[in-house]
């Protein structure tokens, strides 16, 4: 049983796990092209005529199923251990990571701007119903014995990665001396790289007369992209990536957003101006990443229900004990399930559609506070093939000029984890952690993550900084 679970989770977790969350910069007028990650209208707030994100990488991870012990960024160790958490509870794992390549923003005068870029993204979402697991669980019978009261056994998971090229445009709809209303939109052209899903339900069993267990019902559907079929230990990572791109399918997604800006009556001082004004506060609402990725089914993808004949835990150990691939797993399921069919053709996995509400207020002495609420369209336990972001509510105090910055994101994740992060900006470099516990705790990993970005823009004139707004 442990090998079966590991094989299914492995399909969904292969590859880098990519998303979008440079949290410290959300709301900042210096986020430039990265503002597209939380609201495409926000790129009109930059004081610069242009900026370019040469490179960005971000990773964020969340699970209650295991932790990495003896791991801390401020200490070294020769031994890192992955420790599974024992007990009876519903388990989950969420992850997102992204790579940004040459994301740019150019102002078209005072009232318009456009953005462009290439990203690589990947998400993982896995959840189960409540079940018992302990380090002593070695065979299927041990697992069944510990979970008699947790039936039916259920679980689901989705993983998707893709390349993304985008174009954004933002425009001022209305403006007077005190306020401004602006909107923006983004069109993403997607190229799927890898994806998989598994939905399992109705797993039930009863004790048999020999002291073991007999399966009475099971049902599941699982699929994975065809590029996994060609994976080989002899191929380089570059060759595997080229093959994934070649066999990937085209998809699309879009984002739209708007912002209301309350002006301060000041300009950007010594900054190179794009024509926009310093604000006192701004409120933005955006609908992000609405769309789908498309994949070709791999040869082992299948759907099944029921059991054929008498299926005991000993029989499961014999048939599934040496599984090394999904096609092998499906061959064993085919002779065990009462109803079994391979799945062919194409399937879709939805992008992480969500509603984001962002409020940002500036204070004297280059201080500001940003608050952000993220509402995913897909729940953790959804049986729809889709992925999601990890954050729910974040408040980020910050001090920043065009050259320097310090940020303190305080976040509640969508599973109720409380994190305190931090980030700094020094010239073009932005570096941050989602969870400062990575620095001091030897049990915090993998919950948390970090980000790094290199952003260039025109050099400020004379002095660094922005005039403080008047109140």
């Amino acid at each position: 049983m442990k090998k079966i679970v590991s094989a299914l989770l492995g399909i969904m977790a292969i590859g880098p796990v990519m998303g979008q969350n440079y949290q410290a910069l959300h709301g900042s007028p210096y986020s430039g092209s990265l503002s597209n990650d939380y609201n495409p209208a926000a790129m009109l707030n930059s004081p610069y005529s242009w900026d370019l994100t040469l490179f960005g990488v971000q990773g964020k991870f969340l699970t209650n199923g295991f932790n990495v012990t003896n791991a801390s960024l401020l200490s070294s160790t020769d031994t890192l251990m992955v420790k599974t958490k024992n007990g009876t509870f519903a388990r989950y794992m969420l992850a997102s990571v992204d790579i940004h390549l040459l994301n740019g923003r150019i102002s078209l005068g005072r009232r318009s701007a456009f953005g462009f870029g290439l990203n690589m993204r990947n998400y993982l979402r896995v959840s189960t119903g409540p079940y018992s697991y302990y380090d002593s669980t070695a065979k299927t019978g041990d697992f069944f014995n510990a979970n008699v009261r947790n039936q039916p056994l259920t679980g689901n998971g989705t993983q998707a990665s893709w390349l993304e090229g985008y174009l954004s445009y933002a425009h001022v709809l209305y403006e007077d001396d005190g306020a401004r209303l602006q909107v923006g939109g983004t069109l993403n052209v997607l190229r799927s790289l890898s994806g998989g899903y598994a939905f399992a339900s109705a797993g039930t069993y009863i004790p048999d007369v020999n002291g073991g267990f007999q399966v009475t019902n099971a049902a599941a559907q699982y699929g994975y992209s065809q590029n996994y079929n060609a994976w080989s230990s002899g191929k380089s990572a570059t060759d595997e990536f080229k093959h994934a791109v070649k066999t990937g399918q085209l998809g699309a997604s879009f984002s739209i957003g708007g912002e209301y800006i309350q002006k301060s009556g000041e300009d950007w001082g010594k900054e190179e101006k794009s024509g926009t004004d310093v604000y006192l506060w701004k409120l933005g609402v955006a609908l992000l990443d609405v769309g789908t990725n498309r994949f070709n089914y791999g040869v082992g993808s299948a759907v099944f229900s029921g059991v054929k004949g008498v299926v005991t835990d000993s029989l499961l150990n014999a048939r599934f004990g040496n599984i090394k691939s999904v096609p092998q797993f499906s061959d064993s399921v085919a002779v065990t399930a009462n109803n079994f069919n391979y799945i062919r053709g194409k399937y879709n996995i939805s992008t992480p559609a969500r509603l984001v509400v962002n409020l940002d207020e500036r204070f004297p002495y280059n201080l500001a506070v940003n608050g952000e609420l993220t509402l995913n369209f897909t729940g953790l336990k959804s049986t729809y093939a889709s992925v999601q972001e990890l954050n729910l509510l974040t408040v980020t105090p910050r001090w920043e000029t065009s050259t320097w910055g310090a940020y303190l994101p305080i976040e509640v994740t969508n599973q109720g984890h409380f994190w305190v992060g931090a980030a700094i900006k020094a010239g073009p470099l932005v570096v941050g952690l989602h969870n400062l516990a990575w620095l001091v705790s030897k049990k915090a990993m993998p919950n948390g993550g970090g980000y790094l970005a290199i952003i260039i823009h025109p050099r400020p004139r004379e002095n660094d900084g922005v005039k403080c707004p008047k109140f």
Side-chain angles (χ1 to χ4, degrees), residues 248-326:
Q249 300 291 302
L250 288 177
S253 66
F254 71 90
S255 301
I256 55 174
E259 285 193 326
Y260 174 81
I261 312 294
Q262 184 66 47
K263 297 180 182 180
S264 71
E266 298 291 313
D267 62 23
W268 284 96
K270 302 300 183 180
E271 305 287 354
E272 180 171 328
K273 292 168 49 178
S274 63
T276 188
D277 300 287
V278 176
Y279 59 86
L280 286 174
W281 60 268
K282 62 187 179 78
L283 175 65
V285 179
L287 182 61
L288 302 179
D289 288 324
V290 180
T292 58
N293 276 288
R294 198 163 179 79
F295 301 89
N296 290 313
Y297 272 112
V299 294
S301 304
V303 56
F304 70 88
S305 63
V307 292
K308 185 184 299 183
V310 178
V311 178
T312 64
D313 58 301
S314 297
L315 180 62
L316 291 179
N317 286 332
R319 287 182 176 175
F320 296 92
N322 294 306
I323 296 296
K324 292 184 169 95
S325 68
V326 179

Side-chain angles (χ1 to χ4, degrees), residues 75-288:
S75 63
S76 60
T77 180
D78 294 332
T79 305
L80 294 178
M81 296 182 62
V82 177
K83 186 175 181 180
T84 303
K85 294 183 179 179
N86 294 330
T88 303
F89 54 93
R91 289 159 169 83
Y92 58 81
M93 181 175 179
L94 295 163
S96 72
V97 183
D98 73 61
I99 297 175
H100 281 49
L101 298 172
L102 294 179
N103 287 202
R105 182 201 60 85
I106 299 175
S107 293
L108 303 175
R110 181 179 179 81
R111 300 176 63 88
S112 301
F114 76 92
F116 57 90
L118 177 66
N119 303 324
M120 182 177 176
R121 302 170 63 184
N122 184 325
Y123 290 79
L124 173 68
R125 173 178 66 90
V126 177
S127 69
T128 73
Y131 72 89
S132 298
Y133 180 86
Y134 297 92
D135 293 336
S136 58
T137 303
K139 294 184 178 181
T140 306
D142 300 330
F143 183 83
F144 281 177
N145 187 54
N147 287 281
V148 171
R149 297 184 178 181
N150 297 323
Q151 301 182 66
L153 299 175
T154 63
N156 68 76
T158 305
Q159 176 269 329
S161 65
W162 64 91
L163 287 175
E164 172 185 276
Y166 75 87
L167 287 174
S168 298
Y169 179 76
H171 185 72
V172 176
L173 286 183
Y174 171 81
E175 185 174 25
D176 59 27
D177 291 339
R180 182 170 80 246
L181 179 64
Q182 57 199 37
V183 296
T186 300
L187 177 62
N188 303 298
V189 177
L190 314 178
R191 183 75 169 186
S192 62
L193 296 177
S194 67
Y197 69 86
F199 305 116
S201 62
T204 59
Y205 54 91
I206 57 174
D208 66 15
V209 295
N210 298 317
F213 296 91
Q214 180 179 331
V215 178
T216 56
N217 194 22
Q221 179 173 328
Y222 52 94
Y224 64 98
S225 53
Q226 69 174 17
N227 60 293
Y228 285 135
N229 293 328
W231 271 33
S232 170
S233 58
K235 288 185 178 180
S236 66
T238 301
D239 290 338
E240 297 287 5
F241 179 77
K242 289 180 179 179
H243 178 74
V245 173
K246 182 179 179 180
T247 58
Q249 300 291 302
L250 288 177
S253 66
F254 71 90
S255 301
I256 55 174
E259 285 193 326
Y260 174 81
I261 312 294
Q262 184 66 47
K263 297 180 182 180
S264 71
E266 298 291 313
D267 62 23
W268 284 96
K270 302 300 183 180
E271 305 287 354
E272 180 171 328
K273 292 168 49 178
S274 63
T276 188
D277 300 287
V278 176
Y279 59 86
L280 286 174
W281 60 268
K282 62 187 179 78
L283 175 65
V285 179
L287 182 61
L288 302 179

Side-chain angles (χ1 to χ4, degrees), residues 408-412 417-422 433-438:
L408 192 70
I410 301 168
E411 178 177 353
V412 178
H417 290 237
F418 179 78
W419 294 345
V420 177
L433 287 175
H434 293 301
N435 185 6
L436 285 176
W438 274 32

Side-chain angles (χ1 to χ4, degrees), residues 374-402:
T374 300
L375 300 175
N376 287 297
F377 283 14
T378 301
L380 175 66
K381 297 183 180 297
S382 172
T383 55
Y384 182 61
S386 60
V387 290
Q388 65 180 103
E389 289 287 357
L390 282 65
N391 43 314
L392 174 63
L393 180 64
T394 309
V395 176
T396 306
R398 69 178 187 268
W399 173 90
E400 66 176 348
T401 68
S402 64

